[in-house]
């Protein structure tokens, strides 16, 4: 495992370099932003909507003490969505969606000698293939996470509209109460680091594949497992660092 | 001209290449032959630097490739074209974009110039009008031809072909062989071809190096190979039923 980590670091040294040709890189970046970002919009919106709704309903069932104001519901939804659900849960979902795609795409290129072909031409394949994906995710994931926060809070609002658990007024009051902008900053820092972890780990797993279709499949699973573990681990570390 | 001096390469305990010294000439189709698993691909990948040799030196026209830094190698890499066993076309790009790729990465040509060069290369491999097809839509023979077109797009000094006719029918194999040897002569390329196909050997083998158990076992050309009394080479050459019968009746 230690040697894997060493290999990962060595690969990252190859990845994080100035691209061969700026114009080619910009084109790749736009394409990756499209395929990593736009294609994940739907799933992010749906999951966030339901997440927000569920947090709202559960909070409302759990506060039967009349001393706790009903606006606590909105407050709880906002805090949990911004602090954890949007950055962490959505990043975990993206690790599954994006990570497996990156690992199998690059792994297939490895076993069909496309990576060798790049190297023979004098292109640095690690930089050419992985760098645009890493940077694209670091740019577009924060956008997705902000949307996720928004949809999460809409979820709670819809519960107010369609049930009589609490009123829209109470909910909106709670959403607005005691707001500290720092938590958004905290969430976005986490998101950017998670984006880097997902894309670099998956790129690495694909890049070092040896063999054929079976190994590509295994690499794609490993990519998802390791990015998820690293997200959880770094979530703990970052929470300690940024919120204490 | 490419020279390998005393190169050796092992993977763990497996000594794949043992002290090989061999020379490949300019303007000629130089063949490396041997059974599957004899180390042809490893030798070729050592020559182009995809594998590092454990010992020995590799020279590209007097330039010591094995002693070069990554940056110095990059320059030579742009003089190398390589045809991989499976074609190794980029499957997210169409035929035209595949051939254009090295031009985009390493030249400052305008789009028109690049397209002109792409069409020139496609014409050479008899695939005019295949520009917009994707690799998944190509037959085996077409894939190889597009790969050749991509390999020659930067006008290489050196051309490496790993089993260019594996998986092709005899007729298509012949077409690919002709193409490689015509290109080699026309543009005075130093061409190295890995093969175990005896048809290609006796057709295009200007020089032939026979690899056996990781060693350079025999050297010669297409006229000498049929008359050799080297036992292992004979077994390799006259391995199929057809060639055995021809040898018996002294027809070859
Ligand atoms: N990357 C590698 N790692 C370990 N062993 C390898 C590697 N590449 C090739 N080999 C071994 O080297 C030997 C020669 O393989 P190869 O050069 O592919 O043969 P061929 O002559 O058919 O092209 C085989 O025994 C193979 O197992
Ligand atoms: Mg081979």
């Amino acid at each position: 495992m230690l040697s894997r980590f060493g290999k990962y670091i060595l690969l990252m040294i190859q990845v994080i370099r100035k691209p061969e040709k700026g114009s080619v890189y910009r084109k790749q970046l736009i394409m990756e932003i499209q395929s990593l970002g736009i294609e994940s919009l739907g799933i992010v919106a749906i999951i966030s909507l339901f997440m927000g709704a569920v947090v709202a309903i559960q909070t409302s069932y759990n506060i039967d003490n009349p001393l706790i104001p009903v606006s606590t519901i909105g407050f709880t939804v906002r805090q949990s969505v911004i602090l954890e659900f949007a950055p962490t849960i959505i990043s975990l979902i993206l690790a599954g969606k994006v990570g497996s795609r990156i690992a199998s795409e690059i792994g297939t290129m490895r076993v069909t000698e496309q990576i060798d072909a790049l190297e023979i031409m004098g292109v640095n394949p690690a930089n050419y293939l992985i760098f645009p994906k890493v940077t694209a995710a670091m740019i577009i994931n924060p956008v997705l996470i902000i949307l996720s926060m928004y949809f999460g809070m809409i979820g709670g609002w819809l519960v107010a509209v369609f049930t009589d658990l609490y009123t829209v007024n109470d909910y909106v009051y709670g959403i607005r109460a005691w707001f500290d902008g720092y938590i958004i900053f905290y969430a976005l820092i986490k998101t950017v680091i998670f984006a880097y972890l997902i894309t670099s780990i998956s790129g690495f797993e694909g890049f070092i594949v040896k063999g054929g279709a079976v190994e590509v499949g295994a690499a794609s699973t490993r990519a998802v497992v390791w990015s998820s573990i690293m997200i959880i681990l770094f979530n703990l570390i970052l929470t300690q660092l940024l919120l204490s | 001209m490419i020279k390998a001096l005393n190169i050796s390469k092992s993977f763990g305990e497996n000594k794949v290449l043992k002290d090989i010294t061999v020379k490949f000439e300019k303007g000629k189709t130089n063949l490396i032959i041997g059974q599957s698993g004899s180390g042809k691909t490893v030798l070729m990948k050592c020559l182009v630097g995809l594998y590092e040799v454990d010992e020995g030196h590799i020279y590209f026209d007097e330039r010591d490739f094995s002693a070069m830094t990554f940056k110095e190698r990059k320059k030579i890499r742009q003089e190398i074209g390589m045809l991989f066993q499976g074609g190794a076309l980029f499957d997210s790009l169409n035929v035209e974009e595949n051939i254009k790729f090295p031009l985009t990465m390493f030249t400052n040509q305008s789009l028109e110039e690049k397209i002109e060069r792409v069409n020139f290369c496609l014409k050479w491999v008899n695939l005019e009008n295949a520009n917009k097809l994707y690799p998944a839509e190509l037959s085996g023979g077409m894939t190889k031809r597009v790969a050749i077109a991509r390999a020659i797009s930067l006008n290489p000094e050196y051309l490496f072909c790993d089993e260019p006719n594996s998986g092709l029918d005899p007729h298509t194999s012949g077409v690919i062989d002709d193409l490689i040897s015509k290109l080699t002569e026309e543009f005075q390329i130093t061409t190295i071809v890995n093969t175990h196909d005896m048809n290609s050997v006796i057709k295009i083998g200007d020089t032939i190096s026979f690899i056996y158990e990781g060693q350079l076992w025999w050297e010669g050309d297409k006229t000498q190979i049929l008359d050799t009394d080297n036992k292992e080479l004979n077994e390799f050459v006259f391995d199929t039923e057809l060639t055995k019968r021809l040898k018996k009746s002294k027809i070859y």
Side-chain angles (χ1 to χ4, degrees):
Chain A
M1 219 195 85
L2 226 71
S3 89
R4 276 181 91 77
F5 181 68
K7 275 192 203 156
Y8 169 81
I9 297 293
L10 286 180
L11 182 71
M12 283 308 119
I13 294 173
Q14 293 297 316
V15 169
I16 302 166
R17 273 164 198 251
K18 191 167 156 287
E20 189 79 40
K21 258 223 152 130
S23 57
V24 175
Y25 168 70
R26 277 191 293 279
K27 227 165 109 188
Q28 282 180 297
L29 186 67
I30 291 169
M31 256 179 55
E32 293 297 342
I33 285 182
Q34 267 172 8
S35 64
L36 298 178
I38 317 292
E39 281 168 22
S40 303
L41 263 179
I43 190 167
V44 167
I46 290 173
I47 288 175
S48 308
L49 214 54
F50 279 83
M51 242 163 31
V54 168
V55 173
I57 294 171
Q58 291 202 342
T59 317
S60 86
Y61 280 136
N62 282 299
I63 46 170
D64 38 16
N65 187 333
L67 285 178
I68 303 176
V70 184
S71 60
T72 307
I73 297 167
F75 175 77
T76 309
V77 169
R78 187 194 74 208
Q79 292 299 91
S80 41
V81 163
I82 294 183
L83 285 171
E84 281 309 317
F85 282 98
T88 311
I89 303 287
I90 296 296
S91 289
L92 282 171
I93 283 163
L94 292 177
K97 188 168 180 295
V98 171
S100 60
R101 215 206 65 194
I102 292 180
S104 49
E105 184 185 321
I106 296 183
T108 304
M109 293 189 75
R110 168 60 80 193
V111 300
T112 56
E113 297 183 304
Q114 292 176 52
I115 292 184
D116 287 343
L118 283 170
E119 193 162 347
I120 283 296
M121 290 176 191
V123 176
N124 169 353
N127 172 268
Y128 176 79
L129 294 174
I130 303 178
F131 192 63
K133 293 191 190 333
V134 171
T135 41
M138 288 169 84
I139 293 170
I140 197 67
N141 283 19
V143 177
L144 289 174
I145 297 311
I146 290 192
L147 281 171
S148 161
M149 295 170 182
Y150 178 75
F151 277 105
M153 289 184 260
I154 298 276
W157 179 76
L158 286 175
V159 173
V161 173
F162 289 109
T163 70
D164 45 14
L165 288 172
Y166 49 91
T167 67
V168 170
N169 272 345
D170 282 331
Y171 179 74
V172 172
Y173 178 79
I175 287 279
R176 290 184 169 169
W178 308 291
F179 180 68
D180 177 3
Y182 180 73
I183 61 171
I184 302 252
F185 171 75
Y186 158 79
L188 292 183
I189 291 279
K190 286 212 300 194
T191 302
V192 171
I193 290 173
F194 295 163
Y196 170 78
L197 289 170
I198 296 170
T199 44
S200 66
I201 291 173
S202 317
F204 167 74
E205 291 293 350
F207 204 82
I208 60 163
V209 169
K210 279 200 181 93
V214 177
E215 284 81 5
V216 173
S220 129
T221 309
R222 255 200 323 276
V224 176
V225 171
W226 276 109
S227 347
S228 305
I229 292 175
M230 286 301 148
I231 287 175
I232 304 282
L233 184 70
F234 271 78
N235 190 32
L236 186 71
I237 297 173
L238 291 170
T239 305
Q240 276 298 319
L241 280 179
L242 295 171
L243 287 191
S244 60
Chain B
M1 197 240 332
I2 298 175
K3 254 186 333 202
L5 288 184
N6 308 100
I7 60 170
S8 300
K9 175 73 185 169
S10 313
F11 291 104
E13 292 292 287
N14 184 6
K15 286 196 112 183
V16 180
L17 303 179
K18 298 169 196 156
D19 196 30
I20 290 188
T21 296
V22 58
K23 195 172 141 184
F24 306 102
E25 290 167 38
K26 185 179 166 76
K28 294 200 169 156
T29 309
N30 305 278
L31 304 191
I32 300 170
I33 63 171
Q35 259 150 14
S36 277
S38 59
K40 302 184 295 292
T41 301
V42 171
L43 175 57
M44 186 169 273
K45 289 191 171 176
C46 284
L47 290 175
V48 296
L50 282 175
Y51 293 148
E52 291 301 324
V53 291
D54 299 332
E55 278 167 62
H57 289 269
I58 293 154
Y59 294 91
F60 282 73
D61 290 309
E62 311 309 325
R63 293 172 293 181
D64 188 350
F65 187 68
S66 25
M68 286 182 183
T69 63
F70 181 80
K71 253 204 173 130
E72 293 169 320
R73 281 185 182 189
K74 218 168 118 175
K75 198 180 154 292
I76 292 200
R77 288 274 165 79
Q78 284 155 42
E79 300 170 10
I80 294 177
M82 183 154 178
L83 175 60
F84 287 87
Q85 204 160 344
L89 297 177
F90 304 127
D91 37 33
S92 59
L93 306 179
N94 66 26
V95 166
E96 179 177 297
E97 290 161 341
N98 261 285
I99 304 171
K100 208 170 67 182
F101 183 84
L103 301 170
T104 308
M105 290 310 268
F106 299 111
T107 71
N108 290 316
Q109 294 178 0
S110 69
L111 186 63
E112 291 79 57
E113 285 171 312
K114 284 187 272 190
I115 298 294
E116 195 181 318
R117 178 70 193 166
V118 167
N119 288 332
F120 174 82
C121 295
L122 277 176
K123 193 161 174 213
W124 247 98
V125 298
N126 288 319
L127 275 181
E128 289 132 308
N129 307 323
N131 297 50
K132 300 297 173 201
L133 295 177
Y134 277 86
E137 300 170 304
L138 304 174
S139 69
M142 285 164 89
T143 302
K144 290 278 161 84
R145 282 188 281 165
V146 173
I148 293 177
R150 186 179 65 182
I152 61 170
S153 70
L154 277 178
N155 237 324
E157 293 282 322
Y158 316 98
L159 181 62
F160 292 82
C161 309
D162 193 6
E163 309 256 2
N165 33 30
S166 71
L168 301 181
D169 62 86
H171 173 75
T172 315
S173 292
V175 172
I176 299 288
D177 285 342
D178 287 338
L179 206 53
I180 291 172
S181 96
K182 230 170 76 187
L183 278 166
T184 302
E185 255 196 280
E186 174 90 15
F187 300 108
Q188 285 295 300
I189 305 173
T190 305
T191 300
I192 301 179
V193 179
N194 271 353
T195 184
H196 57 230
D197 180 346
M198 276 313 295
N199 258 323
S200 323
V201 174
I202 55 176
K203 193 164 159 197
I204 60 170
D206 295 332
T207 80
I208 299 169
S209 312
F210 175 56
I211 306 286
Y212 182 76
E213 293 196 334
Q215 285 163 293
L216 182 66
W217 206 255
W218 181 89
E219 283 179 290
D221 65 27
K222 60 189 168 195
T223 56
Q224 296 160 341
I225 194 168
L226 295 176
D227 300 315
T228 171
D229 47 15
N230 185 306
K231 179 170 164 286
E232 288 76 15
L233 180 59
N234 253 315
E235 279 170 13
F236 175 78
V237 172
F238 298 102
D239 191 40
T240 63
E241 200 48 41
L242 181 64
T243 48
K244 273 179 197 155
R245 287 192 197 179
L246 291 179
K247 188 174 170 81
K248 230 182 206 160
S249 51
K250 304 234 179 267
I251 292 181
Y252 71 81

